[in-house]
Amino acid sequence: MSTSTRRLFSVVIAIGIAATLAGCTAGGSAKAGARISAIAVLDSKDLGDILVDGKGNVLYAFKPDNASTVSCTFGCATVWPPLSVADNASTAAGDGVDVALLGKLPNPAGGHVVTYNGWPLYRYAADKAPGQHRGQDVFLNGGYWYVMKPDGKPLMP
């Protein structure tokens, strides 16, 4: 098992444990609607450090969202599912994730989308394995898609 793969598994397990503990009340049951989205940093061989969700799925920014709006909705969101968070929930941050850059925006399709440095975050349906980043620098659904970096800037060429 490679160092990157071991690091990814460690991050995913740590975030899963933190999310589980944070979602429990004193009585041991999860609060209704208090799901926590998690973000971590993955060291990708070819792209360097990039952001991933709690399952290791790479997170992307959509160039048309540069005005801090969620513009990929409905049909677009089936190919690029947003990283959603419940109204009353927060986002768990792994090592290397700047908590000050985390936020959320209303999704026109309903609910909220997690943001990083104002950029709504999405996954790509064509990424079939943790850490896979087939959506980097792809023009689809009316704009370019870029992997999000821990410094809060999309990886634009």
Side-chain angles (χ1 to χ4, degrees), residues 3 7 40-41 43 45 47 54-55 57 67 73 76 85 87 129 137-138 142-143 147-148 153:
T3 303
R7 183 174 177 201
V41 175
D43 181 27
K45 286 186 228 175
L47 300 179
K55 295 180 180 177
N57 298 305
T73 57
C76 176
V85 65
D87 292 346
D137 198 23
V138 168
V147 169
M148 181 56 76
K153 296 177 186 168

Side-chain angles (χ1 to χ4, degrees), residues 96-134:
V97 175
D98 187 344
V99 177
L101 297 180
L102 289 171
K104 61 185 173 182
L105 287 171
N107 185 344
H112 285 84
V113 175
V114 175
T115 62
Y116 198 70
N117 197 26
W119 290 91
L121 298 175
Y122 305 87
R123 292 154 299 191
Y124 185 35
D127 289 346
K128 300 298 182 189
Q132 195 170 55
H133 47 77
R134 292 179 175 170

Side-chain angles (χ1 to χ4, degrees), residues 9-110:
F9 285 137
S10 298
V11 168
V12 169
I13 289 169
I15 288 177
I17 291 169
T20 300
L21 293 174
C24 293
T25 63
S29 62
K31 290 182 179 180
R35 289 178 301 148
I36 296 177
S37 294
I39 298 180
V41 175
L42 171 69
D43 181 27
S44 170
K45 286 186 228 175
D46 52 341
L47 300 179
D49 287 345
I50 58 176
L51 294 185
V52 295
D53 69 9
K55 295 180 180 177
N57 298 305
V58 172
L59 296 171
Y60 297 88
F62 187 39
K63 181 86 166 150
D65 285 343
N66 63 2
S68 294
T69 58
V70 178
S71 61
C72 179
T73 57
F74 304 105
C76 176
T78 61
V79 178
W80 300 94
L83 182 62
S84 300
V85 65
D87 292 346
N88 60 344
S90 60
T91 304
D95 289 341
V97 175
D98 187 344
V99 177
L101 297 180
L102 289 171
K104 61 185 173 182
L105 287 171
N107 185 344

